[in-house]
Each structure stands twice: as C-alpha cells, then as structure tokens.
Amino acid sequence: MQRFDRAFVTGASRGIGKACAINLAQAGFDVACTARTQREGEEREHSSTVRKSDTRPLPGSLAATAAAIESAGRRALILPADLLDREQLRSAVKTVVDSWGGIDLLLNNGRYIGPGHMDRLVDTPLDLLEKHLDANVMAPLALIKMVLPEMLERGRGLVLNMTSDVAWTDPPSAAGSGGWGLGYAISKGALHRIAGVLAHEVAGTGVSVVNVSPGFVATERIAIDMAEFGFDASKGAAPDLIGKVVAWLATSGAADDWNGRTLEAQVVAGELGFS
C-alpha cells in the first residue's frame, strides 16, 4: 500500500481546498497551499457577473489554512499564486521541491473566480471564457506537467482533479436563474477528460490520476455570493466532508483502483460512514 506525505493544494484559502488541506494534514501530510488570498480581509474580485463588481473580503486565507495545518502537527508552505499566472505556479512548485524534495499529491482544486461565471453567452466577452479555460484547464495541466515526471521517476504519486457535475450534465435553467454559465461548464468538461487519458499513460507506474466530484457544497462563497443566482447553500454538503474523502483516498491504498475514474465524494462518504 502506497503512502504519500507531501501535498500541493490549489485554491486552499477557503472552501473545499481549505478543507482538503486540513484533512490531509490530519492524515499525516505536509501541505503546500496556493491561492490568491494571503491574509484575512484582503479584497479580491469575486463577482460572478459582468453586470457588477464585488470585492468584499471573503472569509478565509492562506495564513488561516496554514495555521490549521500546523495545529495538526504538520508543516505548511504558503505559496501565493494566481492560476492565470504561469510563472507564479512554476515558482510555487519549485519552492516545494526545493524545500521538501518533491510533491507526492497534487490536488487541482482552484478555479477561475470572477465575471462570466454566471453570465449568458451573449453577455460574456470571449476573453472571460478564455480565462475560465486558462485557469480551470491549462493551469492544472501545467502543474501536472511540472510534477508528473518526478512522480513517475519515484514510482509513486497521486493527481486529483476537482471536477464538477456540470462536466457531464446540463443545467436546469439559464445562467442567473438556477443554471450556470458556459465558461464554467466547458472548462470543467475539459478538466474532466484529463484523468481518463492520463490513466493509460501512468498505468502500472505507481502513479494515479483521479477525478473527484464534490457535488453541491456549502462553501463560504456559495453562501455569500450565489443566492442571487438561485443556489441555496443550506442544501449543500459541508466542505469538511469532501476533505475527509480526499484524505481517505490518499491514505487508504484505494488510489490505484480509482485511476482514470471519477469518485463522487458525497456518495463515497455515505458508503464509508463519514458525516
């Protein structure tokens, strides 16, 4: 049974990424955390529509996540980075490799946050669609290319891509009325295809590439931003539930069985008795 102990998590300042980082630490991982928000109270654009701007501070930060990791007795690295900045991502990976000697687990959880997420196509500038694809597809691919050669050389490694049901299901209505925008759907659809292709390339090497589908989760941003678009956070699962499943996958020896497949986190949580 393989064991991994050095994780790199994107989008780790809040929500699912933060929960996964903390649960991985509690399971014995040192965790390198990357996101844009370094400290509580920072203002970042997080409006989902081109109709308005919203830079209100959201709860969560890399500093808070790192503190929770260290409280669990593990090492944390704070690595501020924007998924749209490839050089920042390269620098972050280099810092982890130089500091800890390598990365055993890569969790591509972060995604594009900003206008165009909940806009209809006629209202969405093409450059915002490109940002979705760049952050949600090309950035994870860039990170995979950075860490995969070392994983293959060591004969162990786990790449997890946080996918979404929007990759294979149609919305119940248009964006802004309970559905979602095209940028989110096409980018998650593209991300979703990576695991199935790479699974054949890494088969038998000790490396696994797995999709994790969290389902509807009551993150801080869902609660603060998404009610106006028809999403009720009270109906979502807790982020910690997804974190527990990710930590289980990384430590149970089940990763090989899930290579190239999609793990539906809330279903698996129920089967394992997590709550």
Side-chain angles (χ1 to χ4, degrees):
M1 181 175 72
Q2 291 192 55
R3 177 78 185 201
F4 314 102
D5 57 15
R6 299 165 298 185
F8 184 105
V9 179
T10 67
S13 59
R14 61 182 61 89
I16 294 171
K18 178 179 181 179
C20 289
I22 293 171
N23 275 274
L24 286 169
Q26 292 170 343
F29 282 79
D30 297 324
V31 187
C33 303
T34 183
R36 296 180 301 169
T37 305
Q38 299 180 55
R39 291 170 293 276
E40 298 288 338
E42 291 182 9
E43 295 184 355
R44 303 283 180 183
E45 179 63 68
H46 56 90
S47 172
S48 290
T49 174
V50 298
R51 296 191 301 274
K52 66 178 183 180
S53 174
D54 190 347
T55 59
R56 293 173 297 168
L58 292 170
S61 66
L62 289 177
T65 302
I69 292 166
E70 290 169 350
S71 292
R74 303 304 302 183
R75 296 178 296 177
L77 280 175
I78 293 177
L79 304 167
D82 189 322
L83 292 173
L84 296 174
D85 190 324
R86 203 75 79 243
E87 186 53 44
Q88 288 184 352
L89 297 179
R90 277 192 289 268
S91 178
V93 169
K94 184 177 186 302
T95 297
V96 181
V97 173
D98 289 347
S99 300
W100 293 348
I103 295 169
D104 301 305
L105 185 155
L106 168 64
L107 172 55
N108 285 310
N109 165 78
R111 63 175 179 84
Y112 170 77
I113 300 295
H117 179 52
M118 284 290 163
D119 290 303
R120 302 185 183 199
L121 179 60
V122 294
D123 301 318
T124 308
L126 287 177
D127 70 295
L128 294 186
L129 296 179
E130 290 172 347
K131 285 183 178 180
H132 276 84
L133 292 167
D134 197 18
N136 297 358
V137 185
M138 300 310 297
L141 281 173
L143 289 169
I144 292 170
K145 282 179 67 67
M146 291 176 207
V147 306
L148 188 57
E150 273 198 322
M151 288 181 175
L152 292 171
E153 184 177 345
R154 289 194 306 270
R156 64 179 182 137
L158 177 59
V159 175
L160 301 177
N161 291 331
M162 196 64 67
T163 185
S164 169
D165 292 4
V166 307
W168 61 87
T169 59
D170 295 326
S173 54
S177 303
W180 45 82
L182 192 61
Y184 184 57
I186 62 175
S187 60
K188 282 297 187 179
L191 176 73
H192 187 77
R193 300 311 311 156
I194 294 171
V197 174
L198 290 188
H200 293 290
E201 298 184 17
V202 303
T205 66
V207 178
S208 299
V209 185
V210 182
N211 284 326
V212 177
S213 178
F216 186 52
V217 178
T219 64
E220 300 93 334
R221 187 166 179 270
I222 289 290
I224 293 170
D225 287 350
M226 303 308 292
E228 66 178 292
F229 299 104
F231 295 90
D232 182 356
S234 68
K235 298 179 179 179
D240 187 62
L241 188 69
I242 313 306
K244 288 179 180 178
V245 173
V246 165
W248 166 82
L249 181 63
T251 58
S252 65
D256 284 347
D257 294 334
W258 285 96
N259 185 33
R261 299 168 58 197
T262 298
L263 184 155
E264 295 194 45
Q266 294 189 40
V267 174
V268 171
E271 295 171 350
L272 295 173
F274 294 163
S275 60

